[in-house]
C-alpha cells in the first residue's frame, strides 16, 4: 500500500544493454595459444601395439578387455613424438629431443625388436609383450647431443636413424636384415644386442623396412639394402641373403633418389626428376609394366606417363604414387580404391579427386602424402584430412566399421593429421590439435 | 483474377425450332451452335472464390530469404520437389564474443569471451572439419551399400544424397567475409532448420575456444529457386506472380524429370 517496493517487471532494453556491458569476459585461449601435438592409435590391441595397457589388462573392475579399437584413440605421451612406425604387431615412437630417452616401443617383443625390456618380476629375463610405450635404450656415444630423425619397423626387426651416429638396428637377424652377419641358431628373444651401421657413402637420410629386408637411402641419392633376397627385394642382382648393407645399381645407378618405400616384398624408389623405379616381388603385377617375371632383382625404371611423381608408397600387393598435381594413382592387386570391380591392374589408374573432397566449391584440395600398410592405403590431404581404404583387417582402417573399404573414406580425427604410419593390423597418426 | 477474361463458354449443337421458309404454322428443326447456358458467367458466378496456396520448406520468423509457395495445382509439384531432396543455400552472419541461450543476438546473454586470437585460417580449418564429418553423414544416411560398384560411382560424381528422412546435413560451407568480430558464411544444407544453423554458429564459436551468436540467416536458394526468381514485397501483384510462375515452370519440370 505504501508503494515502497515495486515488483520487478521484465528488464527494459536499457537495463539489458547495461547488464551485457557489465558482464565478465572469459578468456579461454590467448593470442599465444599453441596447437598441441597428439598421437592417435587404432586397430588390433591384444598385441600391445596400441600402447594402452587397459585394453589388454583392464585396470578397473568394470572395464572389459578391448580387442579392437575401431576409431582413433588418443595416446597420452610425455614427449612430443616426431616420427612413428608400425611393424607386425609392434610400434615404435620417436622424438627428436636431446634428452636421454628418445625412442619408445610397444607391442610384440619376441625377437627383441623393441630392444631389451627388463622384466620387473625376473631381472634376467625380458618382456615378450610390451603393453605401454617403454623407452628403448640406445648405445649412443653422445646421448645428449644426437637426435633421432626417423624410425622404421619390419616384420620382426626395427631401424632407428640418428643424425650423427648412423643407423641402429635390432630384432630378428635370420636373414641379415639387421645388417650384421647371420649367426646360426641365434636366440633373438631377450637379446641385448643393438647393432650400429655407419659405413655408407654419405649420411643416411631415410630408412625403410620391408618384411624381412632393410633399405637405406643416403644424402647423395644412393640406396643400400640388406636382408632376405629370395624375391629380389634387395635389388642386388641375386636372390640370396645379404647381411651387410650393399649399394644398389641397375636403373638407379647415378640417379638421385629422393624417396624409397617398401612394406612387403616389393620396393619402389622415386628420383628427383619424378621417375619411379621398382624391384622385388612382382607376383601381383606390381612391376608387370616392364617385365613378365614374378621376381625382379635389379631396380628397373617404370615408364609411367602420369606426370612428375612426388611420392611413392609400396604395399603388400598394391602400390600407390602421388604426382606433383596432387593426384593419387594405384596399381597392383587387391582393394585398390576404385570400387569393388577393380581388383587388379598392371598400369596405374587415377583415383578421382572428388573422392578426397575436391569439388567446385573447394577446388584447392590436394593429396599431400600417401602411405601404405600391408593391404591398406592412407592418403593425407593438404587440409589435414586422413582418407583410408583397403582391407579392414581387425579394424585397422579406423572408420568405426569392420567392413572392407573399397573407395577412400574419411577418418574422423579431432585435429589436423600431420603424418600417419600403417602396419598390418593397426595404425598410428600424429595429429595437431586445432 | 476474376476480372481477367475467362474461358470461352462451351458450345453445343442443338436443334432449335425456327419458322419454316414455306409459310406460317409449320416448324422446322435447324441445327445451330448455341452456347451452353450452364457456362454463362451470370449462372456460374465468379470463377475463383478460394485459392489453395501451399508452402514449401519452412522459414522461421527471425530468418529471411526465398520462400516457395504453390498455388492450386502447384501444390502437387511441391510434394514432388520435397521428395527430390535438393540442397538449400543460406548466408549466415555471426558475431564472436557472445553466447546467448537461443544462439541468436536477441537472446539472453549467457557468457562473454575474448576473440582476438581467432584468425581466418583457424575458422577455415574448423569449417573443413565440419564439411568432413557431414560428408561422412551424407554417405551413411543415404542407405547405399558401400560395397557395390554403384555406390563407388555415385560417390565419385558426388551424387550420393539421403533420399529419405535424415538429420540435418551440411554439404558445403564457405567463409564469405571475415572482419572481427563479425563473419559471414555460405552454407549449403539438406533437411535443416534455421535454428540448427544458429546452433552450428554457436558450435563454431565453441570450437575456436570463444563463443559466437548468429545475427542473420538468409536463404538465397531453395532447390531451383534463387533470389533472382523471388518476388520482393513491392512485386506482390498478379502480373508479377503470373510472370514468375511462367519463368519457373520449365526449370521445375527439368529438375523433377532429372531426379524422379
Amino acid at each position: 500500500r505504501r508503494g515502497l517496493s515495486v515488483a520487478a517487471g521484465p528488464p527494459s532494453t536499457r537495463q539489458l544493454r547495461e547488464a551485457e556491458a557489465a558482464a565478465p569476459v572469459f578468456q579461454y585461449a590467448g593470442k599465444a595459444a599453441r596447437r598441441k601435438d597428439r598421437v592417435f592409435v587404432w586397430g588390433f590391441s591384444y598385441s600391445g601395439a596400441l600402447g594402452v595397457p587397459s585394453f589388454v589388462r583392464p585396470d578397473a573392475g568394470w572395464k572389459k578387455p578391448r580387442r579392437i579399437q575401431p576409431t582413433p584413440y588418443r595416446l597420452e605421451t610425455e614427449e612430443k613424438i616426431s616420427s612413428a612406425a608400425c611393424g607386425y604387431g609392434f610400434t615404435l615412437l620417436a622424438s627428436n629431443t636431446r634428452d636421454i630417452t628418445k625412442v619408445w616401443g610397444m607391442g610384440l617383443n619376441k625377437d627383441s625388436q623393441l630392444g631389451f625390456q627388463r622384466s620387473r618380476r625376473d631381472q634376467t629375463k625380458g618382456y615378450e609383450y610390451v603393453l605401454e610405450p617403454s623407452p628403448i635404450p640406445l648405445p649412443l656415444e653422445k646421448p645428449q647431443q644426437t637426435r633421432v630423425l626417423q624410425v622404421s619397423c619390419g616384420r620382426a626387426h626395427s631401424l632407428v636413424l640418428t643424425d650423427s651416429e648412423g643407423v641402429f638396428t635390432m630384432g630378428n637377424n635370420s636373414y641379415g636384415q639387421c645388417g650384421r652377419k647371420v649367426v646360426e641358431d641365434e636366440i633373438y628373444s631377450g637379446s641385448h644386442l643393438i647393432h650400429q651401421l655407419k659405413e655408407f657413402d654419405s649420411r643416411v637420410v631415410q630408412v625403410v623396412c620391408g618384411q624381412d629386408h632393410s633399405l637405406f637411402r643416403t644424402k647423395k641419392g644412393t640406396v643400400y639394402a640388406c636382408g632376405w633376397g629370395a624375391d629380389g627385394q634387395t635389388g642386388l642382382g641375386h636372390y640370396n641373403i645379404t647381411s651387410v648393407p650393399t649399394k644398389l645399381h641397375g636403373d638407379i645407378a647415378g640417379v638421385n633418389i629422393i624417396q624409397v618405400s617398401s612394406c612387403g616384398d616389393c620396393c619402389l624408389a622415386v628420383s628427383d626428376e619424378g621417375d619411379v623405379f621398382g624391384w622385388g616381388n612382382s607376383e601381383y603385377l606390381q612391376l608387370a609394366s616392364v617385365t613378365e617375371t614374378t621376381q625382379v632383382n635389379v631396380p628397373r625404371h617404370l615408364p609411367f606417363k602420369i606426370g612428375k611423381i612426388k611420392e611413392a608408397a609400396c604395399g603388400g600387393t598394391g602400390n600407390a604414387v602421388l604426382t606433383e598435381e596432387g593426384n593419387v594413382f594405384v596399381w597392383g592387386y587387391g582393394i585398390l580404391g576404385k570400387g569393388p570391380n577393380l581388383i587388379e591392374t598392371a598400369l596405374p589408374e587415377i583415383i578421382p579427386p572428388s573422392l578426397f573432397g575436391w569439388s567446385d566449391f573447394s577446388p584447392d584440395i590436394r593429396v599431400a602424402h600417401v602411405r601404405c600398410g600391408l593391404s591398406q592405403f592412407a592418403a593425407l590431404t593438404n587440409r589435414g584430412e586422413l582418407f583410408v581404404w583397403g582391407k579392414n583387417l581387425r579394424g585397422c582402417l579406423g572408420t568405426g566399421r569392420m567392413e572392407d573399404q573399397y573407395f577412400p573414406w574419411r577418418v574422423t580425427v579431432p585435429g589436423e593429421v600431420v603424418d600417419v604410419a600403417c602396419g598390418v593390423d593397426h595404425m598410428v597418426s600424429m595429429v595437431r590439435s586445432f | 483474377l476474376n476480372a481477367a477474361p475467362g474461358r470461352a463458354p462451351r458450345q453445343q449443337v442443338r436443334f432449335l425450332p425456327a419458322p419454316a421458309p414455306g409459310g406460317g404454322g409449320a416448324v422446322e428443326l435447324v441445327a445451330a451452335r448455341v452456347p451452353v447456358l450452364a457456362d454463362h458467367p451470370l449462372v456460374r458466378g465468379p470463377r475463383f472464390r478460394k485459392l489453395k496456396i501451399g508452402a514449401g520448406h519452412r522459414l522461421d520468423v527471425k530468418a529471411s530469404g526465398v520462400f516457395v509457395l504453390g498455388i492450386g495445382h502447384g501444390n502437387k509439384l511441391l510434394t514432388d520437389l520435397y521428395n527430390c531432396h535438393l540442397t538449400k543455400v543460406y548466408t549466415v552472419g555471426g558475431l564472436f564474443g557472445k553466447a546467448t541461450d537461443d544462439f541468436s543476438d536477441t537472446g539472453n546473454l549467457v557468457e562473454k569471451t575474448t576473440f582476438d586470437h581467432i584468425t581466418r585460417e583457424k575458422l577455415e580449418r574448423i569449417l573443413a572439419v565440419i564439411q568432413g564429418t557431414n560428408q561422412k553423414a551424407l554417405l551413411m544416411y543415404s542407405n547405399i551399400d558401400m560395397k557395390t560398384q554403384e555406390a563407388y560411382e555415385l560417390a565419385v560424381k558426388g551424387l550420393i544424397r539421403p533420399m529419405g528422412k535424415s538429420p540435418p546435413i551440411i554439404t558445403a560451407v564457405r567463409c564469405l567475409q571475415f572482419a572481427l568480430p563479425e563473419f559471414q558464411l555460405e552454407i549449403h544444407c539438406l533437411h535443416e532448420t534455421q535454428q540448427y544453423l544458429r546452433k552450428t554458429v554457436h558450435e563454431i564459436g565453441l570450437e575456436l575456444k570463444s563463443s559466437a551468436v548468429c545475427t542473420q540467416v538468409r536463404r538465397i536458394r531453395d532447390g531451383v529457386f534463387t533470389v533472382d526468381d523471388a518476388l520482393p514485397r513491392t512485386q506482390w501483384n498478379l502480373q508479377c506472380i503470373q510472370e514468375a510462375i511462367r519463368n519457373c515452370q520449365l526449370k521445375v519440370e527439368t529438375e523433377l524429370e532429372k531426379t524422379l
Side-chain angles (χ1 to χ4, degrees):
Chain A
R1 245 184 296 126
R2 262 178 277 177
L4 283 174
S5 59
V6 184
S12 68
T13 321
R14 191 165 139 245
Q15 277 176 322
L16 278 171
R17 243 186 303 137
E18 280 173 359
E20 202 176 300
V25 180
F26 291 89
Q27 183 177 47
Y28 290 108
K31 272 207 170 238
R34 218 152 296 148
R35 298 168 72 185
K36 293 182 209 46
D37 293 287
R38 301 198 167 117
V39 177
F40 281 83
V41 293
W42 61 90
F44 185 64
S45 70
Y46 275 1
S47 57
L50 297 190
V52 186
S54 57
F55 285 169
V56 187
R57 290 271 166 82
D59 46 8
W62 54 269
K63 279 192 192 168
K64 278 203 252 286
R66 210 183 289 192
R67 182 173 162 260
I68 291 177
Q69 174 57 38
T71 48
Y73 185 90
R74 179 152 158 227
L75 187 68
E76 308 263 349
T77 52
E78 303 97 37
E79 285 282 348
K80 173 179 165 322
I81 303 293
S82 61
S83 163
C86 292
Y88 286 40
F90 66 105
T91 319
L92 277 184
L93 303 172
S95 158
N96 64 351
T97 162
R98 282 217 168 113
D99 296 347
I100 306 214
T101 317
K102 302 172 205 289
V103 189
W104 293 263
M106 54 246 202
L108 278 179
N109 197 24
K110 290 198 168 174
D111 287 304
S112 299
Q113 53 264 58
L114 304 175
F116 184 72
Q117 302 287 338
R118 199 176 292 277
S119 161
R120 261 179 276 183
R121 264 188 280 173
D122 184 349
Q123 298 282 340
T124 53
K125 297 215 188 76
Y127 280 128
E128 284 196 337
Y129 288 90
V130 178
L131 296 181
E132 227 182 4
S134 310
I136 297 178
L138 294 172
L140 294 164
E141 273 173 18
K142 303 197 182 92
Q144 280 166 330
Q145 282 181 30
T146 320
R147 287 191 203 264
V148 168
L149 298 175
Q150 195 215 332
V151 280
S152 186
C153 301
R155 182 186 60 87
H157 71 297
S158 354
L159 302 178
V160 178
L161 173 67
T162 58
D163 58 353
S164 52
E165 296 198 34
V167 182
F168 289 90
T169 66
M170 47 202 166
N172 192 309
N173 193 39
S174 16
Y175 303 109
Q177 61 263 46
C178 285
R180 55 188 169 92
K181 197 153 173 310
V182 182
V183 173
E184 287 257 349
D185 297 330
E186 180 177 351
I187 302 176
Y188 299 106
S189 157
S191 154
H192 290 253
L193 184 57
I194 298 185
H195 188 65
Q196 189 178 14
L197 293 166
K198 282 203 205 176
E199 296 87 32
F200 298 97
D201 62 359
S202 51
R203 195 162 66 85
V204 178
V205 286
Q206 190 192 356
V207 286
V208 170
C209 288
Q211 197 164 352
D212 281 307
H213 70 291
S214 313
L215 298 168
F216 310 85
R217 174 172 71 88
T218 63
K219 202 166 163 145
K220 284 198 186 156
T222 52
V223 180
Y224 286 74
C226 64
W228 202 40
D231 274 331
Q233 58 263 56
T234 45
L236 294 167
H238 56 78
Y239 293 112
N240 309 325
I241 307 179
T242 316
S243 47
V244 171
T246 321
K247 194 160 155 173
L248 266 70
H249 297 283
D251 284 358
I252 61 174
V255 179
N256 185 11
I257 300 288
I258 54 166
Q259 198 235 343
V260 189
S261 170
S262 175
C263 183
D265 290 327
C266 181
C267 313
L268 287 180
V270 178
S271 73
D272 55 353
E273 309 206 331
D275 297 316
V276 67
F277 300 83
W279 65 97
N281 191 359
S282 179
E283 283 168 15
Y284 302 101
L285 308 177
Q286 290 108 317
L287 308 173
S289 53
V290 280
T291 172
E292 291 272 318
T293 55
T294 49
Q295 274 89 16
V296 177
N297 59 4
V298 169
R300 297 284 305 271
H301 171 62
L302 301 173
F304 296 140
K305 304 255 179 313
I306 52 181
K308 195 160 166 210
I309 292 173
K310 207 165 63 159
E311 208 177 82
C314 197
T317 58
N319 300 340
V321 287
L322 175 66
T323 57
E324 283 275 333
E325 298 110 44
N327 289 322
V328 178
F329 286 80
V330 287
W331 78 99
Y333 173 84
I335 302 180
L336 295 175
K338 291 194 65 154
N341 286 359
L342 188 71
I343 298 287
E344 60 175 9
T345 167
L347 291 172
E349 300 214 1
I350 185 173
I351 294 196
S354 55
L355 288 172
F356 293 116
W358 182 92
S359 67
D360 302 321
F361 214 59
S362 30
D364 54 346
I365 288 201
R366 302 257 178 287
V367 176
H369 298 284
V370 265
R371 303 268 181 266
C372 268
L374 200 63
S375 43
Q376 310 89 20
F377 296 85
L380 292 176
T381 60
N382 54 1
R383 291 266 183 98
E385 294 183 317
L386 174 63
F387 286 83
V388 290
W389 65 98
K391 268 197 107 46
N392 197 5
L393 196 58
R394 298 188 274 270
C396 61
L397 289 184
T399 53
R401 291 157 47 220
M402 286 297 137
E403 292 116 33
D404 301 335
Q405 187 54 38
Y406 290 92
F407 56 90
W409 184 264
R410 247 185 206 91
V411 176
T412 324
V413 178
E416 190 182 316
V417 184
V418 174
D419 202 3
V420 69
C422 306
V424 171
D425 55 8
H426 70 293
M427 283 200 207
V428 170
S429 64
M430 273 150 302
V431 173
R432 204 179 267 186
S433 71
F434 292 125
Chain B
L1 259 181
N2 286 330
R7 225 177 19 201
R10 286 176 291 176
Q11 306 279 2
Q12 64 174 36
V13 177
R14 284 191 74 179
F15 293 94
L16 297 172
V27 170
E28 211 178 58
L29 288 173
V30 172
R33 268 212 131 88
V34 165
V36 173
L37 277 175
D39 271 350
H40 197 272
L42 286 176
V43 173
R44 275 191 124 207
R47 267 189 74 204
F48 295 103
R49 266 190 293 169
K50 281 191 289 205
L51 275 179
K52 264 204 180 135
I53 300 191
H57 294 114
R58 282 198 203 115
L59 196 65
D60 66 10
V61 185
K62 282 188 270 200
S64 61
V66 176
F67 189 38
V68 179
L69 295 164
I71 303 181
H73 291 302
N75 290 316
K76 299 192 189 106
L77 292 174
L78 272 182
T79 21
D80 292 334
L81 272 181
Y82 178 76
N83 291 332
C84 276
H85 302 285
L86 299 165
T87 55
K88 297 180 257 292
V89 182
Y90 289 82
T91 36
V92 175
L95 193 72
F96 284 122
K98 254 171 55 161
T100 54
D101 56 356
D102 67 347
F103 311 132
S104 77
D105 51 350
T106 50
N108 297 323
L109 181 71
V110 166
E111 196 180 54
K112 269 176 31 173
T113 56
T114 58
F115 50 82
D116 44 356
H117 61 278
I118 301 179
T119 60
R120 189 168 182 149
E121 204 188 85
K122 287 191 196 169
L123 181 66
E124 298 205 329
R125 231 180 278 142
I126 302 284
L127 296 181
V129 166
I130 292 181
Q131 265 194 285
T133 38
N134 277 280
Q135 194 78 5
K136 261 179 84 166
L138 196 68
L139 293 173
M140 275 193 335
Y141 283 106
S142 55
N143 284 334
I144 300 187
D145 187 6
M146 289 297 143
K147 295 205 184 140
T148 55
Q149 183 67 15
E150 181 191 332
Y152 164 72
E153 268 155 31
L154 283 178
V156 171
K157 282 190 237 157
L159 287 181
I160 293 192
R161 265 197 330 257
M163 293 307 258
K165 273 193 183 301
S166 87
I169 295 183
I170 297 180
T171 52
V173 203
R174 192 165 57 160
C175 179
L176 294 174
Q177 283 174 29
F178 184 81
L180 280 180
E182 293 172 358
F183 63 99
Q184 205 180 49
L185 306 171
E186 185 183 315
I187 304 185
H188 295 229
C189 40
L190 277 175
H191 305 162
E192 81 305 340
T193 54
Q194 282 80 37
Q195 192 62 10
Y196 179 77
L197 295 175
R198 291 190 194 102
K199 188 172 163 194
T200 312
V201 168
H202 175 252
E203 281 172 3
I204 290 175
L206 290 180
E207 267 305 318
L208 287 164
K209 301 193 181 65
S210 173
S211 51
V213 288
C214 176
T215 43
Q216 177 211 40
V217 176
R218 182 169 178 246
R219 181 148 71 196
I220 53 180
R221 197 190 151 105
D222 184 344
V224 276
F225 302 98
T226 60
V227 176
D228 307 320
D229 304 322
L231 300 170
R233 187 75 179 83
T234 49
Q235 288 182 4
W236 287 3
N237 50 41
L238 181 62
Q239 204 70 359
C240 293
I241 293 177
Q242 279 180 330
E243 203 182 303
I245 294 178
R246 244 173 278 140
N247 290 344
C248 292
Q249 245 174 3
L250 188 62
K251 273 198 280 187
V252 170
E253 262 173 40
T254 44
E255 190 60 44
L256 285 177
E257 262 174 40
K258 221 176 18 163
T259 323
L260 298 171

